[in-house]
Amino acid sequence: MQGVRSIYGNIRAHLGSDGRVHPTISARQASGRLSITDPGLTVVGKRDGRWVEREVFLPEEGHLIVPFDLDQVDARAVAGLCQDPAYMALFTDPKIDSHEEIAYRLWGVRDGKKGPYRNKAKRIGHAWNYGAGIARIVRETGIAEADVRRFDEGMRTDFPLLVQWKRDMAETARTGALMDNGFGRMMRPNPDRAHTQGPALMGQGAARDLMMGGILRLPVEVVPMLRAGVHDEVVLSIPKDVVDDVIPVVLGALADDFRGIPITAGCEPPAENWGRCYAPRKTAK
């Protein structure tokens, strides 16, 4: 079986006698984000056809799996933290998709939620917000250097206060001082990685508490339906007869406001297993 992904073996190895998978969950990351291991759910596929890896995770009998995601939560956290009016404006108008808007500014194309230009802007944007340089972004994403340079120049021109905030966070991290994630939770940076860890620690740390706040706001009758939380995704097993009633309740609990930035959420269609929630949908002609 050389070359075959070992994800199924890892899942089976941690299957309990009750038929459930009980991973190890800890908050050891500097940002406070939850680390899920044994098995590692963060490496189970979701895009590019790898959603089939999630099909082994099933709901309760008579239930459906429903995954909920916070919308662009890392970028929204950064917008709230940096308070750059131009960058904040990308998130305050519900008709604007921030990744698509940035793609349009750079390449003159609005190609929809699953479009290649939007996806390109999203992949570059996360790395750029967290201090990655042009060479690193090219190496890690495989996106052409000319496109990454165009992105860098455009962001520096359009969002100067965001650029200054990144510098300030890197400088704070360089001193080794504790950093407030925006909720009063202090985080300890690594001065040797200050240039990237400074802004990344802040954005990821704030995003983590935005997610935790949403989970804490879930009504008590919904909490037993909670099955997993993977970064900005919350997975529930919901009885079929109430799924249409529970979905808006969960979306409402995840909604918030962070320093003038609306925090919103969406969900994938309910399905008979976790993978099918991400399967391509056939569109009617």
Side-chain angles (χ1 to χ4, degrees):
M1 295 181 63
Q2 293 216 358
V4 176
R5 281 171 59 80
S6 60
I7 184 66
Y8 300 119
N10 289 336
I11 293 170
R12 185 178 180 85
H14 295 92
L15 190 65
S17 58
D18 58 356
R20 295 176 182 265
V21 175
H22 299 279
T24 300
I25 303 174
S26 64
R28 295 180 180 178
Q29 297 184 36
S31 66
R33 273 191 162 178
L34 299 181
S35 174
I36 303 176
T37 57
D38 303 327
L41 294 187
T42 56
V43 300
V44 181
K46 179 176 178 179
R47 296 183 176 85
D48 300 326
R50 285 180 50 205
W51 52 267
V52 296
E53 296 175 358
R54 297 187 174 204
E55 289 190 306
V56 296
F57 293 103
L58 308 176
E60 302 283 338
E61 186 175 349
H63 287 213
L64 293 170
I65 289 286
V66 186
F68 297 81
D69 284 90
L70 289 181
D71 298 324
Q72 307 149 352
V73 64
D74 280 54
R76 289 174 185 264
V78 168
L81 291 166
C82 76
Q83 291 291 295
D84 184 318
Y87 193 59
M88 294 173 74
L90 297 179
F91 305 97
T92 53
D93 186 341
K95 296 187 294 294
I96 293 177
D97 177 281
S98 64
H99 301 309
E100 190 174 18
E101 179 64 22
I102 290 175
Y104 177 74
R105 294 185 184 202
L106 296 176
W107 298 291
V109 177
R110 287 193 173 97
D111 56 357
K113 185 176 181 180
K114 298 185 182 298
Y117 283 94
R118 180 193 181 276
N119 187 50
K120 187 185 298 185
K122 179 180 179 180
R123 292 167 65 197
I124 301 174
H126 284 313
W128 188 90
N129 274 356
Y130 291 159
I134 291 173
R136 178 176 173 181
I137 295 174
V138 171
R139 183 174 64 252
E140 293 184 355
T141 67
I143 296 172
E145 181 177 340
D147 285 338
V148 178
R149 289 192 178 278
R150 186 182 298 110
F151 184 94
D152 179 69
E153 292 169 3
M155 295 292 284
R156 290 178 182 276
T157 300
D158 291 347
F159 310 117
L161 293 185
L162 169 57
V163 173
Q164 185 59 53
W165 174 83
K166 288 170 57 181
R167 292 195 190 110
D168 293 343
M169 294 305 100
E171 185 56 38
T172 300
R174 197 167 287 113
T175 69
L178 294 177
M179 305 179 74
D180 183 338
N181 76 326
F183 289 86
R185 182 166 57 82
M186 308 307 289
M187 305 174 296
R188 186 176 299 281
N190 179 351
D192 294 334
R193 298 169 51 209
H195 183 71
T196 54
Q197 197 187 55
L201 205 57
M202 292 294 291
Q204 292 176 357
R208 182 266 193 190
D209 282 11
L210 288 168
M211 172 59 80
M212 294 300 106
I215 292 175
L216 289 172
R217 288 189 294 272
L218 289 173
V220 292
E221 60 270 25
V222 174
V223 172
M225 305 176 193
L226 185 63
R227 290 296 174 267
V230 185
H231 289 339
D232 58 353
E233 179 181 2
V234 180
V235 185
L236 276 72
S237 174
I238 305 177
K240 292 179 180 180
D241 59 346
V242 298
V243 68
D244 290 336
D245 298 319
V246 172
I247 286 176
V249 171
V250 177
L251 292 175
L254 295 176
D256 200 356
D257 181 277
F258 180 59
R259 300 186 175 188
I261 300 297
I263 304 302
T264 60
C267 70
E268 299 294 336
E272 66 276 12
N273 61 59
W274 193 15
R276 282 287 161 184
C277 297
Y278 301 96
R281 261 60 183 184
K282 293 182 179 180
T283 57
K285 294 183 179 180

